[in-house]
Coordinates of all heavy atoms in Angstrom, one line a residue:
L311 N 3.2 12.3 0.2 CA 2.2 13.4 0.3 C 1.2 13.1 -0.9 O 1.5 13.1 -2.0 CB 2.8 14.8 0.2 CG 1.9 16.0 0.5 CD1 1.5 15.9 2.0 CD2 2.6 17.3 0.2
V312 N -0.1 13.0 -0.5 CA -1.2 12.8 -1.5 C -2.3 13.7 -1.1 O -2.9 13.6 0.0 CB -1.7 11.3 -1.5 CG1 -2.8 11.2 -2.4 CG2 -0.6 10.4 -1.8
Q313 N -2.6 14.7 -1.9 CA -3.6 15.7 -1.7 C -3.5 16.4 -0.4 O -4.5 16.6 0.3 CB -5.0 15.0 -1.8 CG -5.3 14.4 -3.2 CD -6.7 13.9 -3.4 OE1 -7.6 14.4 -2.7 NE2 -6.9 13.0 -4.3
G314 N -2.3 16.7 0.0 CA -2.0 17.4 1.2 C -2.0 16.6 2.5 O -1.7 17.1 3.6
N315 N -2.3 15.3 2.4 CA -2.3 14.3 3.5 C -1.1 13.3 3.3 O -0.6 13.1 2.2 CB -3.6 13.6 3.6 CG -4.8 14.5 3.7 OD1 -5.0 15.1 4.8 ND2 -5.5 14.8 2.7
W316 N -0.7 12.7 4.4 CA 0.4 11.8 4.3 C -0.1 10.3 4.3 O -0.9 9.9 5.1 CB 1.3 12.0 5.5 CG 2.0 13.3 5.5 CD1 1.7 14.4 6.1 CD2 3.2 13.6 4.7 NE1 2.6 15.4 5.8 CE2 3.5 14.9 5.0 CE3 4.0 12.8 3.9 CZ2 4.6 15.5 4.4 CZ3 5.1 13.4 3.3 CH2 5.4 14.8 3.5
V317 N 0.4 9.6 3.3 CA 0.0 8.2 3.1 C 1.2 7.3 3.3 O 2.3 7.6 2.7 CB -0.6 7.9 1.7 CG1 -1.0 6.4 1.6 CG2 -1.8 8.8 1.5
V318 N 1.2 6.3 4.1 CA 2.3 5.5 4.4 C 2.9 4.8 3.2 O 2.1 4.5 2.3 CB 2.0 4.4 5.5 CG1 1.0 3.4 4.9 CG2 3.2 3.6 6.0
K319 N 4.2 4.7 3.1 CA 4.9 4.2 1.9 C 4.6 2.7 1.8 O 4.3 2.0 2.8 CB 6.4 4.4 2.0 CG 6.8 5.8 1.8 CD 8.3 5.9 1.8 CE 8.8 7.4 1.5 NZ 10.2 7.5 1.4
S320 N 4.6 2.2 0.6 CA 4.3 0.8 0.3 C 5.3 -0.1 0.9 O 4.9 -1.2 1.4 CB 4.1 0.6 -1.2 OG 3.2 1.4 -1.8
D321 N 6.6 0.2 0.9 CA 7.6 -0.7 1.4 C 7.5 -0.8 2.9 O 8.1 -1.7 3.5 CB 9.0 -0.3 0.9 CG 9.3 1.2 1.3 OD1 8.4 1.8 1.9 OD2 10.4 1.6 1.0
I322 N 6.8 0.1 3.6 CA 6.6 -0.1 5.0 C 5.6 -1.1 5.3 O 5.7 -1.9 6.2 CB 6.2 1.3 5.6 CG1 7.3 2.4 5.4 CG2 5.9 1.1 7.1 CD1 8.6 2.1 6.0
L323 N 4.5 -1.2 4.5 CA 3.5 -2.2 4.7 C 3.9 -3.5 4.1 O 3.5 -4.6 4.6 CB 2.2 -1.7 4.0 CG 1.5 -0.4 4.6 CD1 0.2 -0.1 3.8 CD2 1.2 -0.6 6.0
Y324 N 4.7 -3.5 3.0 CA 5.1 -4.8 2.4 C 6.6 -4.8 2.4 O 7.2 -4.5 1.3 CB 4.5 -4.8 1.0 CG 3.0 -4.7 0.9 CD1 2.4 -3.6 0.4 CD2 2.2 -5.7 1.4 CE1 1.0 -3.4 0.4 CE2 0.8 -5.6 1.3 CZ 0.2 -4.4 0.8 OH -1.1 -4.3 0.8
P325 N 7.2 -5.2 3.5 CA 8.7 -5.3 3.5 C 9.2 -6.3 2.5 O 8.5 -7.2 2.0 CB 9.0 -5.6 5.0 CG 7.8 -6.3 5.5 CD 6.6 -5.7 4.7
K326 N 10.5 -6.2 2.3 CA 11.2 -7.1 1.4 C 11.1 -8.6 1.9 O 11.0 -8.9 3.1 CB 12.7 -6.8 1.3 CG 13.4 -7.5 0.2 CD 14.9 -7.0 0.1 CE 15.6 -7.7 -1.0 NZ 17.0 -7.3 -1.1
D327 N 11.0 -9.5 0.9 CA 10.8 -11.0 1.2 C 9.5 -11.3 1.7 O 9.3 -12.5 2.1 CB 11.9 -11.5 2.1 CG 13.3 -11.3 1.6 OD1 13.5 -11.3 0.3 OD2 14.3 -11.1 2.4
S328 N 8.5 -10.4 1.8 CA 7.2 -10.8 2.2 C 6.3 -11.0 0.9 O 6.8 -10.9 -0.2 CB 6.5 -9.7 3.0 OG 6.4 -8.5 2.3

Side-chain angles (χ1 to χ4, degrees):
L311 192 65
V312 179
Q313 300 190 22
N315 302 283
W316 292 99
V317 182
V318 64
K319 288 184 176 180
S320 302
D321 54 0
I322 301 296
L323 295 180
Y324 304 107
K326 190 177 180 181
D327 299 330
S328 63

